[in-house]
Amino acid sequence: KRLGSLGGALAASHTLRQRMLHFLHNMEHYMMLEVLEPNWHVLMLRLRGAQSVDELISLHASFLDRSLKECMLRDAPLLKLLAKLLTICVIYADQTRSLSAAITAAVGEAPPLRAGAPHEERAAVRRETCRRVEQLISDRRYARNVETFGQKFDDELLALLAELRKQAHREWNLAHLLARLDFNHFWRQKQATAPAAAPSAVGE
């Protein structure tokens, strides 16, 4: 409330963080619970009937091949899009962590309040602390950075979803991932109403 116009940037940062977390949580769920766990279960069942070391090696190689394929690590277009999205998330998280540490330091530099300090003195300390934080956020162009990262993330995620739709008819597991990432058709509607944008160069 005391950061004035920067409240909009903080709200935008929160919504961007939630979009990133939604993407990351669903990617983790897909790879761990829909790919690796069932493939591992199949491998364990098949290993019980293995008769030789060569058969063990072959079964393990089959497990790795299937897991890599279903995790999209052998599909160049999907892998490139995933790498870009993860790079955007990591850079944004690092910058947010750095800003958070700077704000914590700025708040810690505020003069301590005397026991029983009058309301006017407490209010003056709060105003000065807020002014320092506001100046710090403004100096780091926080609002513009949030907008830039949000646009890059949205563009790359839309490109990933478009590629998933293109391949989903061949790979049922990708159809499941697509349904999780766009469960309420938010991204489909966003893509239908937004002008075409070139993917960003982050991660290239």
Side-chain angles (χ1 to χ4, degrees), residues 150-169:
Q151 188 60 56
K152 289 178 179 178
F153 178 79
D154 291 356
D155 288 346
E156 297 300 342
L157 184 55
L158 286 172
L160 174 66
L161 294 175
E163 186 65 26
L164 288 174
R165 288 190 192 95
K166 186 163 52 174
Q167 298 194 29
H169 69 283

Side-chain angles (χ1 to χ4, degrees), residues 102-155:
I103 290 175
T104 300
V107 172
E109 292 173 357
L113 287 171
R114 297 180 293 104
H119 172 75
E120 293 77 8
E121 182 177 338
R122 295 197 301 271
V125 171
R126 284 197 298 268
R127 284 195 299 270
E128 177 60 20
T129 301
C130 288
R131 186 195 64 78
R132 290 184 181 183
V133 172
E134 186 172 11
Q135 186 62 48
L136 177 63
I137 293 176
S138 178
D139 289 345
R140 295 198 177 201
R141 298 180 297 177
Y142 183 68
R144 183 170 182 176
N145 285 341
V146 169
E147 182 180 358
T148 300
F149 276 102
Q151 188 60 56
K152 289 178 179 178
F153 178 79
D154 291 356
D155 288 346

Side-chain angles (χ1 to χ4, degrees), residues 29 40 50 65 71 161 194:
H29 178 278
W40 179 260
D65 183 67
C71 285
L161 294 175

